[in-house]
Structures are given as structure tokens and as C-alpha cells.
Amino acid sequence: MLDIRKQGDIIQSMRKLISALLLLFAVLTAVNAASSSGGIPIRDDLFWSEEELEKIDFSAPLSDSEREYYENTHIYYVTASPSEPVYIYFGHAGISVDTPDMPEIMFDYGTFRFDDSFYVNFIFGRLYYTIIQSYASYRYDEFINDDRTVKKIELMITPEAKKAVMGFLAYNVLPENDTYLYHYYKDNCATRPRDIYNAATGGEFRSWAESIDTGKSWRAWSTPYMHPSLFFAFILNYLQGPSVDEPVSLYDAAFLPDVLLSAIEEFENTEAETVYETKTREDTPLTYSLTLRSIPIALIFSLFILLTATRWRGLRIVGDIISGMVWLFMGLLSVVLLFMMVATNHNVTYGNWNILIISPLVLALAFMHFASIGKRERRKSIGRLSRLMLIVSSVMLVLKGCLMDMMIQDNIAYYIFALSAYASEYLVMVLSASRLAPSMRREYVLGQ
């Protein structure tokens, strides 16, 4: 009779677990599916560069005096190497124009203002950037004072194209035309000069660059530039979904200033001029594996979780505090991701599978760890919820392996972090149960 009762208890517990698992998976999948490309309405007075470039004739005839003038005019693509803070990790780019009758002028598409409207617009994914013009010598001095490598390469385009480019830039900097909708990968300080250069070459640059498959994704190109901070690399990659894991051509990879410079060098078969060489800054590494770097992070966090299973009260307190703080941070980060997925124009977050791996439910783990501080036994529900999340993450990993074409997101780093942490939380529950009397162990673990 006792064995039958035990079996019934186990079956009932498994039914509860399966029901909770299915409900959790259904809810989070529905939230993930709610990500759409609709976004929030944006301003209707923005300057759409490619559309405006299509209206320009880059081969309009010149008079003799005009031809002489533009033959002695030089247009350069200029880059500055990465710097701090995080929004300069990827470097900077601009176009400069050096005419016979004026000092060199730089046109800069990477300008924004830190005012109240900027923060609100940034939160909702409406990144309104502007183009400004200034003396190139001023910008060079600014980059040099920050010890950033500065390079420039002359754009080998016809005098007719030079006139058209200068006219376009002059039109673009007008107050009614100077604002555009910035995008991390598709419309930034490098892609705007890229599109201008492509138009000036009659589309030849794009045809050439798009024929070159880089074998890398948007994420693979951008992540090495995050090498100064593992913290920001971990956060920014967590927030980005599968859309940035599509393979890209060299033309798309030229969203990075350095890549565009190298592409122009190869296309024109020439070498850029180095205006200034950094004396202190490291070069950007060719590769950067967030997966490998996540392993020690996961091990250290798991160690703090396991401290909550020790018999020493001081170590348990330290373990609960650290574990609670980490889960609190990850929970808040997942709430931010959820908000960005369903309520903003940050389309790189849409359809992000990470919301199922590290979900807002981990906030409950944080609060339960804080509630366990100083107590002889930590809350049993920590292990039970972790067991549920461990199963969800394991199922997701299996599905990822079986459906690689559908679940292409490069997020193994977060599986490593989540699975090791959830497993450690559950192991602590098992270790705590082992200290109890045999008659109480089943109740502790199964939550009867």
C-alpha cells in the first residue's frame, strides 16, 4: 500500500511539472511570436538617402571651368578607430571634401544630442541622427586628442560625380534634410558614405561588393568590436535576435567603418593614407568567441549558487546575496528584452529565442534567494522553479540542434550560462534534501 501511495505521489508531481512546463512554454512562445516588424510610427520628415540618391544624375556634363575645378577637388572617405564609450566601440566614419577655394570640410552622419527627447526616442527605437559639416582639421584634432587612428582614402570618381556628390551633401545638411533614422547595421555613419560612393560609381561598387560572400553574419562582424568589455558584449548579444545571424556580403559588412575602408582599398586597388596612428589603443581582434568567454562566467556563478548548500552560514549568506543579485540583473535584462521585442522599433530584438532561455521568471529566483539570506534552509521553491527552467532550456537546446535552419540564432553562450546555473540551483535542492530524514526527502524535492 505504501509503495502504491509513493508511486501516486510521484505521478501527481510529474503531472504538475508537465502542466507547468507546457503552460510556461506556451506563454513565452506566444510572447516571442508577438514580436513583429510593425514597430511604432516614426517621423515623416526624415531624409532617406538611397531614395534621394536615385534622383541625382552623376554624369551630368560639365563646362570647361567646372571640369578644371572638380578635377582639382578631392573627396575622401575618413575613418577613426574605435574608442569609448560603448557607442564608439565600432569606430567612426565620414566624408571630407577638399576644394581649391576652401579648407577641407567633413560631413559627419554620426551626430545625436543627449536631450530629453533623445532618451525617450532611444527607448522606443526611434534613433534620430543628423548630419553636420565642420572643418576637417577640427575633427582630425578631436580624433588625435583621443588617440584614435585616423585614415582617409580618396574616392576615385569622375569630376561629374564629384559635383553631384558635393551637391547632394550640401542638400543633405539643410535643416529640413539633416535628420535620418539610424540603424545599427543598415543605416549608420558608414553606410551613408557607402551608399554615396556606390551611387558615384554608377552602382559598380555595390555589384562588386555584393558578389563577395564574407561567410560571416552581422553578429560575427560586430562582436569582436565589443572586446573592450565582456559585460557589454554579453548584454548586447543577449538583446539581439536571429535577424543578425544571417550571412552577409561584403557590401552589408561595410556597416563597419574599417570594413568599408578595406573594401574601397580593394575596389580601387590603392592604399589609404594614415593621418595619425594610435599610440595606446589595441587593434580590434579578427575573432571574438563569446561562447568560450561565457564558460568561466557560468562556472563562477554556479560556484556562488553552490555556496548556498554549505553548512557555514556566512558562505550561505554570500551565496544567496551574489546569486540573488545576478538573477535580479538577468531578470531585469530579460524584462528589457521583452519590452524591446513587443513595444519598440528595435527590430534586431524581434523573435529573440533568449527570452525563453533566460526569461523574466528568473526574477522569482532572485527574490527567493534574498528571502533565504541568513536562514538555515533556503526556500525549496528555488530548486523547483530552477528544475522547470532547466527542462525548458534543455528542450530548447534539443530543438535548436534538430531545427538549425529555423533556430539559427548564435546564442550558445546563454545556454551555457542558463543550463549550468539552473542545474546548480537544482543540485543544491538535492543536496539539501539528502540531509533530511528519508521520509521527508521526497516531500522536499517534489514539493508535496
Side-chain angles (χ1 to χ4, degrees), residues 80-98:
S81 63
S83 181
E84 296 83 23
V86 65
Y87 57 83
I88 317 180
Y89 275 6
F90 307 95
H92 189 63
I95 291 180
S96 72
V97 178
D98 188 10

Side-chain angles (χ1 to χ4, degrees), residues 144-188:
I144 292 171
N145 289 337
D146 197 24
D147 195 32
R148 301 170 67 180
T149 295
V150 181
K151 293 184 178 182
K152 68 178 184 179
I153 185 170
E154 183 171 2
L155 304 183
M156 307 306 293
I157 55 180
T158 65
E160 291 83 358
K162 291 179 184 179
K163 179 183 178 181
V165 168
M166 290 174 61
F168 176 82
L169 293 171
Y171 175 69
N172 200 168
V173 295
L174 294 175
E176 62 270 26
N177 300 328
D178 67 353
T179 303
Y180 73 100
L181 187 65
Y182 177 93
H183 188 278
Y184 320 98
Y185 299 107
K186 298 181 179 180
D187 208 342
N188 62 24

Side-chain angles (χ1 to χ4, degrees), residues 17 47 56 76 85 109 130 137 144 183 274-275 301 314 318 325 328 331 354 360 381:
L17 176 62
F47 190 85
I56 297 176
Y76 301 95
Y109 283 95
T130 59
S137 58
I144 292 171
H183 188 278
T274 300
V275 178
F301 182 39
V318 170
M325 291 176 63
L328 178 62
N354 289 335
S381 47

Side-chain angles (χ1 to χ4, degrees), residues 54-109:
E54 290 177 356
K55 303 174 184 178
I56 297 176
D57 183 1
F58 285 85
S59 59
L62 302 176
S63 66
D64 291 341
S65 59
E66 285 180 321
R67 178 170 298 279
E68 181 181 2
Y69 179 84
Y70 290 108
E71 284 179 348
N72 291 288
T73 293
H74 306 280
I75 299 179
Y76 301 95
Y77 171 67
V78 182
T79 65
S81 63
S83 181
E84 296 83 23
V86 65
Y87 57 83
I88 317 180
Y89 275 6
F90 307 95
H92 189 63
I95 291 180
S96 72
V97 178
D98 188 10
T99 63
D101 55 354
M102 287 187 63
E104 185 178 352
I105 300 295
M106 183 175 293
F107 295 84
D108 185 345
Y109 283 95

Side-chain angles (χ1 to χ4, degrees), residues 27-44:
V27 170
L28 293 179
T29 301
V31 167
N32 191 304
S35 301
S36 66
S37 58
I40 299 169
I42 60 173
R43 290 169 48 177
D44 57 5

Side-chain angles (χ1 to χ4, degrees), residues 14 47 61 91 114 181 202 217 287 290 293 326 335 374 379 382 436:
M14 291 302 296
F47 190 85
F114 284 118
L181 187 65
S217 65
T287 59
L290 187 61
R293 287 167 174 79
V326 173
V335 170
R379 297 178 68 88
I382 295 179
L436 301 175

Side-chain angles (χ1 to χ4, degrees), residues 68 76 167 235 238 286 293 337:
E68 181 181 2
Y76 301 95
I235 292 175
Y238 171 80
L286 296 177
R293 287 167 174 79
L337 172 58

